[in-house]
Amino acid sequence: MGNGWVEFVLQRDGKKVASIQSMDAVDCRLSEDPDLMYVADWKYNRLTAEKIADVQLLNIRKPDLANYFKSALHIKQIQSGQPFYSLAGWYGTKGWSKIANRIPEFHLNGLESGYMLRYHVKMPKSYFDQFGSTDQKEKKKKELQTQLDSVLSGSANAHKTFYSFIEDKIPNAQGFSIEKIATDLKDESYLKLHDHASKLHARGHNIHPVLAGIETSGSLSSGSEILNLLNFHIAYKTPRPRNICLRPINLAKNFNFPNKRHIKIGVEDVVLTTTDKNPNGQQNSM
């Protein structure tokens, strides 16, 4: 998980929490003062001095709501070497995320313009000598290429013809020629790279690739494997992030009801099972 902030507002007498509100992380910034944070519209840069609000920041290790009428708690996974913001789980695989996102873009651009070349047109350089200056020759080359594009591929498939200009003042030189380019899209290296990047990307989010719908070993997993992985994820991957996210609620509960500190607010899990054990295919668990 990454970073989040929750705002607490006490009643006028300061004896109970009146409201808890989740703050948009985009608007929150830590300051050099460990007891202070800033809230503003940083995203759209609509900033003036009066629009930057100072909010009292609670001690993340020993938060005490009684110190301030209005305060905020930074919720994060405490990490060594990260005294301010914590690094999200995907930070270590962000390079693979970029690769996974670039491959579809590469193929889309290729399909629209580049790697689906259909024809190779060879033009003799001497043909353009009749048009005089260099600028006139270049202009005529572009005009001829546009005309040939329209004839060979149509306007919707422009840029799918490769042009080369050959030296024809040599023995056995050919004039204009048009050769069809064989299309071979059997190379799956990029797609395999995308699958590999997607798997690592999912693991960066602390999710098994199977639960993210990513094929492993060339096929989707069986129902029993998905069932076991899901139950494993709920049992071992979710408790810590849930406890961190529920910390502000339990903090407010303990402040409002100090005699109920032994009670903790949690999440009731639904553990999937087979229908022979439970007709509903599920059972509740804390």
Side-chain angles (χ1 to χ4, degrees), residues 195-241:
D195 290 342
H196 183 65
S198 297
K199 292 175 184 177
L200 294 175
H201 181 58
R203 293 185 186 278
H205 286 274
N206 208 22
I207 299 175
H208 194 282
V210 169
L211 297 180
I214 299 173
E215 293 184 2
T216 56
S217 302
S219 63
L220 292 174
S221 300
S222 64
S224 59
E225 182 180 1
I226 295 174
L227 174 65
N228 292 332
L229 286 172
L230 179 59
N231 289 335
F232 174 85
H233 181 83
I234 293 174
Y236 296 101
K237 299 285 188 177
T238 62
R240 188 174 186 183

Side-chain angles (χ1 to χ4, degrees), residues 260-272:
K260 302 292 185 181
R261 289 180 176 271
H262 62 286
I263 299 176
K264 287 190 176 182
I265 297 174
V267 178
E268 185 178 46
D269 291 328
V270 175
V271 179
L272 299 181

Side-chain angles (χ1 to χ4, degrees), residues 231 234 268-274 277-286:
N231 289 335
I234 293 174
E268 185 178 46
D269 291 328
V270 175
V271 179
L272 299 181
T273 184
T274 55
K277 296 181 179 179
N278 190 314
N280 295 325
Q282 61 185 38
Q283 60 188 23
N284 296 334
S285 173
M286 286 295 291

Side-chain angles (χ1 to χ4, degrees), residues 1 79 82 86-99 197 199-206:
M1 62 180 296
Q79 299 172 338
Q82 298 295 327
S86 68
L87 298 177
W90 51 262
Y91 187 83
T93 59
K94 64 178 183 177
W96 285 108
S97 301
K98 292 179 180 179
I99 292 174
K199 292 175 184 177
L200 294 175
H201 181 58
R203 293 185 186 278
H205 286 274
N206 208 22

Side-chain angles (χ1 to χ4, degrees), residues 58-219:
L58 298 173
N59 186 308
I60 193 171
R61 297 183 183 275
K62 294 182 179 180
D64 188 353
L65 293 173
N67 291 336
Y68 309 105
F69 172 75
K70 183 178 180 180
S71 59
L73 177 67
H74 184 190
I75 54 174
K76 67 171 186 175
Q77 181 175 328
I78 297 176
Q79 299 172 338
S80 176
Q82 298 295 327
F84 291 96
Y85 304 100
S86 68
L87 298 177
W90 51 262
Y91 187 83
T93 59
K94 64 178 183 177
W96 285 108
S97 301
K98 292 179 180 179
I99 292 174
N101 290 328
R102 288 296 297 273
I103 291 175
E105 179 183 347
F106 167 79
H107 283 292
L108 178 61
N109 291 333
L111 289 169
E112 291 180 345
S113 57
Y115 67 28
M116 290 285 286
L117 293 174
R118 297 298 188 187
Y119 301 98
H120 179 193
V121 177
K122 299 179 181 179
M123 298 183 182
K125 291 183 179 180
S126 62
Y127 171 78
F128 299 96
D129 291 341
Q130 60 182 305
F131 300 108
S133 67
T134 301
D135 291 342
Q136 290 177 327
K137 291 179 182 179
E138 293 301 321
K139 180 180 179 181
K140 198 62 183 179
K141 286 179 181 180
K142 292 180 180 179
E143 290 178 357
L144 186 56
Q145 289 179 31
T146 300
Q147 293 172 359
L148 288 171
D149 276 341
S150 178
V151 173
L152 295 175
S153 304
S155 58
N157 292 308
H159 311 297
K160 293 188 177 180
T161 302
F162 175 72
Y163 295 92
S164 63
F165 301 91
I166 60 175
E167 187 63 57
D168 58 330
K169 295 180 180 179
I170 56 177
N172 301 322
Q174 296 180 344
F176 280 89
S177 67
I178 299 176
E179 300 175 358
K180 189 172 183 180
I181 299 175
T183 302
D184 186 5
L185 295 179
K186 297 178 181 179
D187 184 4
E188 298 181 354
S189 58
Y190 280 107
L191 296 178
K192 291 179 180 178
L193 178 62
H194 180 268
D195 290 342
H196 183 65
S198 297
K199 292 175 184 177
L200 294 175
H201 181 58
R203 293 185 186 278
H205 286 274
N206 208 22
I207 299 175
H208 194 282
V210 169
L211 297 180
I214 299 173
E215 293 184 2
T216 56
S217 302
S219 63

